[in-house]
Amino acid sequence: MEKILILDFGSQTTQLIGRRIREIGVYTDIIPCDTALTPSMLEEVKGIILSGSPESVYEENSPAPDKSVYTLGLPILGICYGLQRTMYDNGGDVISHSKKEYGRAKVVFEKEPILLHGVTNGFTSWMSHGDAIDEIAPGFEIAATTENGIPAVIKHAQKPIWGIQFHPEVTHCEFGNTILENFAIAICGCGKNWNVGAFLKSISEEIQTKVGKENVLLLISGGVDSTVVGALLLKILDPEQVHLMYIDTGLMRKYESDEVETSLKKLGATHLHHINARDRFLSALDGKSDPEEKRRIIGDMFITVQEAEVKKLNISHAFLAQGTLYTDLIESGKGVGKKAHVIKSHHNVRSPLVEEKRKAGLIIEPLSMLYKDEVRNLGRTLGVGENIIGRHPFPGPGLGVRILGEITPEKVKILQDADYLYIEELKKRGLYDQIWQAFSVLLPLRSVGVSGDMRRYGYILSLRAVVSHDGMTADVYPFPTQDLLEISSIITNSVREIGRVVYDISSKPPATIEWE
Ligand code: XMP
């Protein structure tokens, strides 16, 4: 598949560049900035983007690309640091500038360059840089400047090498998508060939060839990713080959396990192994209140149950499918750019099963080229219900990290009942889809209240609702007060054990999204 290659110099918005270009319909691949640009690496590459970076080019050991990048004859677009890198590597000069530019800046040009075709002269760009070009490299020319007179767009006089000082991938940048489209389509000559249908076709052939008549095992968590992998496997393989295992820890949301089972059966699952491990989890957690210990116990029990149950299936040569996404393959460590499998959830890390299958070359990760929005689109195409596609993220240890302190079956039931009411109300009021993640937390405290003429002690329930892009940072959802008041009263009227409802108004950082 033809693509644009993005060299990642460590900017926070590198992934965004990839997503924006894919939205235009062109496939993108992000690789560490110092990757050797071998012929096999460059197969089907139509253009290269050099990303931004928090570093400065003039500093020792600043991240640099394979120098051949400038002589390959492929179109290049340097963004911010990528532009400064291009200047520096080709004989120009970059300095720390006294007029640092952060935020909006107007960009003006005399003659419209092809990169800015269709862009209004004087458009508002989005800047985030402390360094600026002091001297452009020989052979290059300034195509547009900011109001401060700083070069905003630079191009090579003959070669298709471009650089921009602003960030077109950020939504605040006017005409950002037009500029990226001009680069990908007009300058690199890509077609708009990347879409769910094209992906489905190529991944189907790849998986069918790899798997042949073998069995495939998939651990289902109930979330979007594993369900979409399940739907995909059931569509492109014989359902008899597909073994789906769902481990019910007893710490799932109310009715969740039934919903998972129903939706997978609807998608054609014949071998659905629904393991009820509630008692095993709850007895292992009995009397434990330390958050880390609880997490460890849940993680270990997951592996114990998984191993025992997989053995019973008698499909030892089966492939193991995982719902790893493109963004799960991210940089590790401090150095820019080593791709690594990152910890995604407690049950697909450290798992001996995953390690064993990986060693044997029996892992398939059909979503590893996709971003979350693309997975959702694929899911819709495959007939996965909106109740699953739009579902808020749920942590691997489930309600285990939302019942603070000791976990008892009684508390699980109280939290399930209260949280169900909360979430249903959000859906009814059209608020659910405005929120990244909403849930309830049961505190290990009771407070006094009155019911009739009686004083009674009820549990305290904290409601949480946050908005976020990726869960790394989060803001509190600014709840309409009336909704909050009504939801509180619905919960205390229906769940007798809860005497008081509070709303968590902490952002991340300093708080985390979950409470334990
Ligand atoms: P925190 O609480 O760290 O959560 O701000 C960030 C996001 O990660 C989810 N989360 C988990 N997901 N296994 C998971 O699969 C876990 O152990 C886990 N802990 C937190 C959390 O729900 C939020 O979306």
Side-chain angles (χ1 to χ4, degrees), residues 253-395:
R253 288 167 284 199
K254 192 175 179 179
Y255 302 134
E256 183 163 20
S257 298
D258 294 340
E259 272 180 38
V260 169
E261 181 158 347
T262 311
S263 59
L264 289 166
K265 284 198 171 143
K266 243 192 215 160
L267 291 165
T270 50
H271 298 301
L272 178 57
H273 311 283
H274 184 150
I275 314 296
N276 183 349
R278 178 178 179 271
D279 294 345
R280 281 180 269 182
F281 278 87
L282 290 186
S283 50
L285 288 164
D286 190 26
K288 307 291 182 198
S289 57
D290 177 71
E292 277 313 302
E293 193 184 4
K294 280 161 54 182
R295 273 183 174 267
R296 189 183 49 70
I297 290 170
I298 296 170
D300 289 351
M301 182 53 76
F302 220 99
I303 290 169
T304 308
V305 173
Q306 182 182 297
E307 289 208 311
E309 299 295 334
V310 169
K311 220 174 254 165
K312 287 188 205 161
L313 297 183
N314 240 337
I315 48 168
S316 53
H317 292 296
F319 282 84
L320 181 71
Q322 293 213 109
T324 317
L325 305 193
Y326 195 72
T327 36
D328 297 327
L329 306 167
I330 61 163
E331 293 168 6
S332 71
K334 285 199 196 124
V336 176
K338 297 281 172 275
K339 275 190 184 181
H341 280 80
V342 80
I343 294 175
K344 178 161 192 270
S345 71
H346 77 296
H347 51 263
N348 58 13
V349 236
R350 292 183 297 123
S351 157
L353 177 69
V354 174
E355 292 316 311
E356 176 200 317
K357 295 288 184 186
R358 201 176 288 289
K359 257 191 224 149
L362 292 174
I363 292 269
I364 46 177
E365 296 178 308
L367 309 183
S368 63
M369 284 165 81
L370 303 186
Y371 287 103
K372 192 84 174 185
D373 353 353
E374 294 173 322
V375 171
R376 293 204 169 100
N377 280 340
L378 176 64
R380 288 190 182 103
T381 307
L382 293 167
V384 177
E386 279 305 317
N387 59 332
I388 299 218
I389 301 270
R391 185 174 270 179
H392 291 174
F394 190 61

Side-chain angles (χ1 to χ4, degrees), residues 295 344-346 393 395-397 436-437 471 508 512-514:
R295 273 183 174 267
K344 178 161 192 270
S345 71
H346 77 296
W436 152 272
Q437 201 171 4
K508 172 184 180 177
T512 48
I513 296 177
E514 302 291 342

Side-chain angles (χ1 to χ4, degrees), residues 90-103:
N90 289 282
D93 206 10
V94 175
I95 53 164
S96 174
H97 204 277
S98 54
K99 284 187 195 151
K100 300 194 187 310
E101 284 181 306
Y102 293 102

Side-chain angles (χ1 to χ4, degrees), residues 17 88 142 195 198 222 235 243 251 258 281 319 325 327 329 347 351 354 366 371 400 411 421 443 453 460:
I17 305 173
Y88 196 76
I142 296 172
N195 55 44
K235 174 150 183 107
H243 290 259
L251 300 166
D258 294 340
F281 278 87
F319 282 84
L325 305 193
T327 36
L329 306 167
H347 51 263
S351 157
V354 174
Y371 287 103
K411 287 186 186 173
L421 290 172
L443 307 195
D453 289 335
I460 305 173

Side-chain angles (χ1 to χ4, degrees), residues 402-435:
R402 295 179 179 174
I403 296 170
L404 304 198
E406 240 177 88
I407 298 171
T408 63
E410 184 213 11
K411 287 186 186 173
V412 173
K413 175 149 184 354
I414 296 171
L415 183 57
Q416 280 177 335
D417 288 347
D419 191 61
Y420 182 75
L421 290 172
Y422 178 34
I423 300 300
E424 286 302 296
E425 281 303 315
L426 293 180
K427 289 182 181 164
K428 272 189 216 156
R429 292 160 192 259
L431 304 176
Y432 187 79
D433 292 334
Q434 296 177 23
I435 297 170

